[in-house]
Amino acid sequence: MPTTDDLLQQHDQLTRRYFVGLGAAAMTGIALSRAAADLPPELAEAVGKLEYLTPDARFKNVSRGTPPPPTLSPEARREAGMHPDTWRLEVIADPETDAQVENPLSKELGTALTWTDLMRLAEERAVCYLHVMTCLNVGDPCGMGLWEGVPLRDVIWLAKPKANIRQVFYNGFHNHDPAQIFRSSLPFSRALEDPPGQPPVLLCYRLNGEYLSPNRGGPVRVIVPDAYGFKSVKWVERIVLSNAYQANDTYAEWNNDIDTPLKTHARFLSHPETARPGQAIPVTGLAQVGGAGLARVQVSLRPKESTTDVEWIDAELLGPPTRWGAEIGDGPLPGSPLGFDASGQPLDWPQPFTLAHWAALLPPQPPGEYELSCRTLDAAGHAQPMPRPFPKSGNNTVQVVEVRVEG
Ligand SMILES: Nc1nc2c(c(=O)[nH]1)N[C@H]1C(S)=C(S)[C@@H](COP(=O)(O)O)O[C@H]1N2
Ligand SMILES: [Mo]
């Protein structure tokens, strides 16, 4: 999980550009903004390190298992196949159904896919794109990444699937203990073909230009671009092609809606906890862009326990960052990502299944206790948390924080 400081660092630069853009009328706000030119020195220093992408080590880490596989010693991880030299991926028919696979990639037969095989495929077939990793049950994203891999279907086709297949089941390494296995699944059709405008499901080996760390699922994890994190299984070691017609996700057993695409929703990144009368109130945040798209972000500031209707004010949606950050730093995104032109410019912004940043300057308030909220409006005009307000299909409750104006 990025700390608040990390997120502030990541967003100060964007914010500063916005507040400077607001011009003279907003000068009070600029003087107040933590991103303004008169920053305290420690913050000014942080402004030099701003990042849009989240470094691998600063992702919120969701790794189950006793012990969690990334905490194993390097030798134990090597033995477990969590190393390029020892990683093997099986693609086999589900023995419990009549699924037919002509060329199973199996450890038993010595035909499992190796890292070398995957890298050879990658020379021709590598794909990368931006994607936000978010846990279905958590409001704040785990992190924002540029993920590179080989389309899952390219490896499935190597196994020569023949007939009677409706589901793709897959799981990661979990201490050879069936009770610990974290499983997910996809309809076979989704693995073979991408819905309009969506990139392929990946067998992913790079994040932000670097090989995946053990915590991020290295050497190889699945990335499902439109889904919450539970579909993106780490340390993937087995793919089972099944004629079952139902999913078998571990997350389904925990009362989650496993068919839900990422929702559109907003979160605060920075806001003052206290302000003075006469001072404008600068706030910044992120918006997760789900399948429903993003039209607007709005904020509201109202006295606590107020009974009047909430008044929403449009925030400013910020454009693409000039510096991507994380392991990429100042350069253009590597690997010719989908959604970018040959010169490295995004074809549109914000991009689906990523983050956008926003900022707003709220007018000065008289002394008192206030509630500050933010929300998104999706491309169809639905205000968060509609049209899907139920948390077990993704946490998108409207975030409310407190601000005190001191007399
Ligand atoms: N093998 C395995 N893969 C896993 C998990 C896990 O516990 N084991 N957690 C999943 C869940 S619920 C989430 S939200 C994401 C988080 O990815 P991250 O740790 O890279 O942030 O990983 C997913 N992949
Ligand atoms: Mo999750």
Side-chain angles (χ1 to χ4, degrees), residues 62 64 134-137 229-230 251:
V62 186
R64 294 171 187 82
T134 302
C135 181
L136 183 151
N137 291 302
F230 70 93
Y251 250 42

Side-chain angles (χ1 to χ4, degrees), residues 274-291:
T274 59
R276 296 193 173 283
Q279 289 185 325
I281 296 170
V283 297
T284 70
L286 61 80
Q288 175 170 296
V289 185

Side-chain angles (χ1 to χ4, degrees), residues 71-407:
T71 65
L72 297 172
S73 69
E75 301 76 53
R77 289 206 305 268
R78 181 175 267 273
E79 209 166 299
M82 290 175 64
H83 185 282
D85 292 349
T86 56
W87 178 75
R88 296 287 181 279
L89 179 68
E90 296 193 294
V91 183
I92 55 176
D94 182 354
E96 289 176 23
T97 70
D98 56 359
Q100 292 173 28
V101 174
E102 285 186 330
N103 183 40
L105 312 184
S106 114
K107 287 182 187 168
E108 205 180 313
L109 300 174
T111 55
L113 192 83
T114 65
W115 174 260
T116 311
D117 298 334
L118 187 69
M119 289 302 105
R120 204 168 292 139
L121 269 175
E123 281 168 25
E124 301 274 310
R125 311 291 294 173
V127 171
C128 68
Y129 51 80
L130 294 173
H131 163 75
V132 60
M133 183 63 63
T134 302
C135 181
L136 183 151
N137 291 302
V138 180
D140 286 321
C142 299
M144 178 65 220
L146 175 71
W147 308 87
E148 181 190 307
V150 168
L152 171 62
R153 60 176 153 268
D154 288 346
V155 171
I156 288 178
W157 281 120
L158 291 180
K160 297 195 172 29
K162 191 168 175 226
N164 302 335
I165 299 165
R166 286 180 280 180
Q167 288 282 327
V168 181
F169 296 157
Y170 48 97
N171 68 264
F173 168 79
H174 279 95
N175 303 311
H176 304 296
D177 177 0
Q180 292 188 24
I181 291 179
F182 187 84
R183 294 182 309 273
S184 195
S185 69
L186 287 169
F188 194 37
S189 294
R190 175 61 188 96
L192 296 187
E193 185 181 26
D194 305 324
Q198 284 189 32
V201 175
L202 295 183
L203 287 170
C204 166
Y205 46 82
R206 279 188 204 271
L207 167 63
N208 302 334
E210 304 281 330
Y211 290 122
L212 296 179
S213 72
N215 274 326
R216 290 290 70 64
V220 183
R221 79 183 294 172
V222 174
I223 291 289
V224 181
D226 57 311
Y228 283 100
F230 70 93
K231 288 280 182 195
S232 296
V233 162
K234 304 195 277 192
W235 326 297
V236 62
E237 62 169 16
R238 185 173 301 109
I239 293 170
V240 177
L241 304 179
S242 176
N243 200 20
Y245 58 86
Q246 283 164 320
N248 78 339
D249 297 49
T250 304
Y251 250 42
E253 292 162 12
W254 301 341
N255 191 30
N256 297 297
D257 173 356
I258 54 157
D259 292 321
T260 175
L262 279 169
K263 294 181 181 180
T264 295
H265 79 291
R267 306 288 294 176
F268 288 112
L269 288 169
S270 73
H271 62 84
E273 281 173 17
T274 59
R276 296 193 173 283
Q279 289 185 325
I281 296 170
V283 297
T284 70
L286 61 80
Q288 175 170 296
V289 185
L294 175 69
R296 281 192 276 170
V297 173
Q298 297 183 321
V299 291
S300 88
L301 183 68
R302 64 198 303 245
K304 232 172 144 179
E305 278 133 38
S306 159
T307 52
T308 58
D309 285 348
V310 180
E311 251 185 73
W312 293 97
I313 299 167
D314 283 348
E316 180 96 356
L317 271 179
L318 303 178
T322 51
R323 181 175 194 276
W324 293 102
E327 291 79 0
I328 289 159
D330 284 325
L333 294 176
S336 312
L338 298 179
F340 285 73
D341 69 16
S343 72
Q345 292 305 306
L347 297 173
D348 57 9
W349 197 266
Q351 303 214 326
F353 313 117
T354 70
L355 298 183
H357 300 139
W358 53 267
L361 193 60
L362 291 155
Q365 301 292 328
E369 305 279 337
Y370 291 83
E371 282 180 352
L372 176 63
S373 317
C374 62
R375 71 176 188 184
T376 51
L377 271 66
D378 70 19
H382 295 118
Q384 193 190 320
M386 293 303 281
R388 295 191 290 137
F390 301 104
K392 294 311 277 182
S393 54
N395 183 326
N396 69 336
T397 46
V398 172
Q399 191 183 8
V400 183
V401 296
E402 296 190 357
V403 177
R404 195 170 66 249
V405 179
E406 294 171 333

